[in-house]
Structures are given as C-alpha cells and as structure tokens.
Amino acid sequence: MTRIDDTFARLTAEGKKAFVAYVMAGDPDYETSLELVKGLPDAGVDIIELGLPFTDPMADGPTIQLAGQRALAAGMSLQRTLDLATEFRKGDATTPIVLMGYYNPIYNRGVETFLQDAKAAGIDGMIVVDLPPEEDSELCIPAQAAGMNFIRLATPTTDDKRLPKVLQNTSGFVYYVSITGITGSAEAQASDVAPEVTRIKASTDLPIIVGFGISTPEKSEAIASIADGAVVGSAIVKLIGEGRPVAEVLEFVKGLADGAHRA
C-alpha cells in the first residue's frame, strides 16, 4: 500500500471524492514553490502532482510551458525537485506526491539511481507522459518494484482495443484526460466525460481521476461527481504566473478542493 492507496481508501471510507492539484516545482522560484507546496494540504489537496521542469513539455499548453521555463530559469532541476519533496516531507508524512513529467531527465540520471533518490525523497508515484505502455520495462515496472505507483493517462482517443494495454501495469489511479489536446486548451464537460469514466471503470478497479479543462469550483464539483476526483493544474499555475501571493493562490485552491469534496 502506497500513500496514494491509503488516501483513496480513506476518502472512500469518508464518502468523499479526491482533489488533486498540479504545480510546477520551482515556479516561480524554489522558496516560493516550497511555501506553496507546503500549504496545499491545508487548502484541501488530497494528492499533490509536482511538475518536473523540462525544456520540451509536449503535452502541456502555454501556461504550464511558461511555468517550466520560469522554473528552469530560476535554476530548477531534477535534483532540486527531489530536494523540494524532501523538504516537504519533513513536515508532512502522509500527503502523496506524484511526480509528473517527461522521461529525458530521468533517463539522463539513470533509472535505478532516480528511483532510489525519488523513493528517499518521499515520491509516491509518477506520471511520465512520453513513455507508452510498450516501454513499461523501461521505468514503469522498475518503479512499481521500488514501491511507487505508475499512473497512466487515458484519453478520449483511448478506444476499447487500446484500453487494456493502457491499464495493464497502471497502479494508484487512472488519470483520464477529459479533452483532446494540450493542457489549458478547453473546458471539460461532465456530460462528455461521464460515459468515458463508466467505460474505463468496467475494465479496472482503480480510481478514475479526471483532469484538463477544470478551472472553477463548480467545474471541479461537476467533474468529481461523475468520477473519483478531479485534477486542476493550469488554472492554479496561471495565478502563480501572474505573480499572485501564495496565500491568494492557496485560497483559490481551497475553493477548487471544496468543490470536489462537495461532489
């Protein structure tokens, strides 16, 4: 059982849906980012998705691309991202952290070394968007052997033929991408998402968390009501990019979390 598994077991027992928040590690700088991440659990965040800055984030729209650029310009790296997680863990031993990013920095470090360091830093799972199931032996299976969840994305174009392949080594939860396209590019519609969640649930017992296109408490509630929870990234990162104070960003996050928890 990972912290992610424990969190979903607790939420299920409480009859609550999950709220997952994405922030880019090191955006706009290390200290501000650490302060923000430390504040997320008290704002109602059940699982933290921590973005790993990368120079070519192909799944991300302009908002998160710019966040990555700001973080890199401020000196953020894979090591500094793990340092941030380590610092967070000194005050929080229970909130799961999912590292979300791309394979290049991990490959560059070496899979075995990375997994040891990530585990030591308190990382509970990862989403690596450019490693398809055909490459599971590269990172997915070693990560699970190291005690971390490997979370896979399913999308509106994941048909019934492809779905079993996507699900075969997935653990923790399934991240359903509610729209076709990049992050921050369109609004999620619960009426479109609901049948897809039902279809995926017929093939797995894992929780289904829906992300992309959620930017308000009302939308967070609507999406969480037809899934096991909601993920918000771009709307939060946008406020950070505007230079809003950490307290204001956390207040916005709390509204989103409250929406998901009402579902």
Side-chain angles (χ1 to χ4, degrees):
M1 291 282 283
T2 65
R3 289 187 186 94
I4 295 169
D5 300 325
D6 288 343
T7 295
F8 280 111
R10 173 181 58 80
L11 289 168
T12 299
E14 294 173 358
K16 288 171 68 175
K17 302 299 181 73
F19 181 69
V20 183
Y22 169 97
V23 293
M24 179 67 72
D27 177 31
D29 56 66
Y30 180 89
E31 293 301 332
T32 306
S33 182
L34 179 59
E35 182 186 355
L36 179 63
V37 172
K38 283 181 173 180
L40 291 175
D42 284 343
V45 173
D46 298 302
I47 298 172
I48 297 168
E49 264 185 40
L50 193 60
L52 176 60
F54 182 54
T55 51
D56 187 24
M58 61 185 183
D60 294 309
T63 299
I64 291 178
Q65 285 186 25
L66 288 168
Q69 290 174 15
R70 289 191 297 269
L72 291 168
M76 208 60 183
S77 62
L78 173 54
Q79 182 57 53
R80 292 283 278 163
T81 301
L82 296 178
D83 291 345
L84 190 149
T86 300
E87 281 300 312
F88 173 82
R89 280 281 169 246
K90 290 178 180 178
D92 187 314
T94 56
T95 305
I97 300 175
V98 174
L99 194 65
M100 184 169 186
Y102 299 83
Y103 186 45
N104 184 283
I106 297 169
Y107 177 80
N108 188 51
R109 194 180 189 94
V111 168
E112 187 176 343
T113 301
F114 164 75
L115 290 174
Q116 289 173 353
D117 294 345
K119 187 74 175 171
I123 302 296
D124 303 289
M126 60 191 74
I127 301 170
V128 183
V129 296
D130 54 348
L131 272 183
E134 287 75 13
E135 306 296 337
D136 274 357
S137 61
E138 193 80 19
L139 180 62
C140 171
I141 291 169
Q144 309 223 74
M148 282 181 275
N149 293 124
F150 199 89
I151 295 140
R152 189 80 69 194
L153 303 179
T155 76
T157 60
T158 306
D159 60 20
D160 289 339
K161 182 180 178 183
R162 180 66 175 167
L163 186 61
K165 191 76 173 174
V166 169
L167 295 175
Q168 68 181 0
N169 289 315
T170 300
S171 65
F173 61 91
V174 177
Y175 187 137
Y176 180 70
V177 176
S178 66
I179 58 172
T180 52
I182 53 176
T183 57
S185 61
E187 278 205 3
Q189 301 298 331
S191 57
D192 296 333
V193 173
E196 291 299 298
V197 171
T198 300
R199 181 172 69 93
I200 297 167
K201 276 188 170 294
S203 298
T204 182
D205 293 329
L206 291 170
I208 314 296
I209 305 299
V210 177
F212 286 48
I214 303 168
S215 59
T216 66
E218 294 75 22
K219 187 69 72 174
S220 180
E221 181 177 2
I223 292 297
S225 71
I226 51 90
D228 296 299
V231 186
V232 179
S234 291
I236 298 167
V237 172
K238 181 173 180 287
L239 294 186
I240 298 168
E242 291 171 358
R244 305 291 185 91
V246 168
E248 186 178 332
V249 177
L250 291 173
E251 186 178 346
F252 176 69
V253 171
K254 186 177 187 307
L256 296 165
D258 288 348
H261 292 149
R262 280 195 300 269

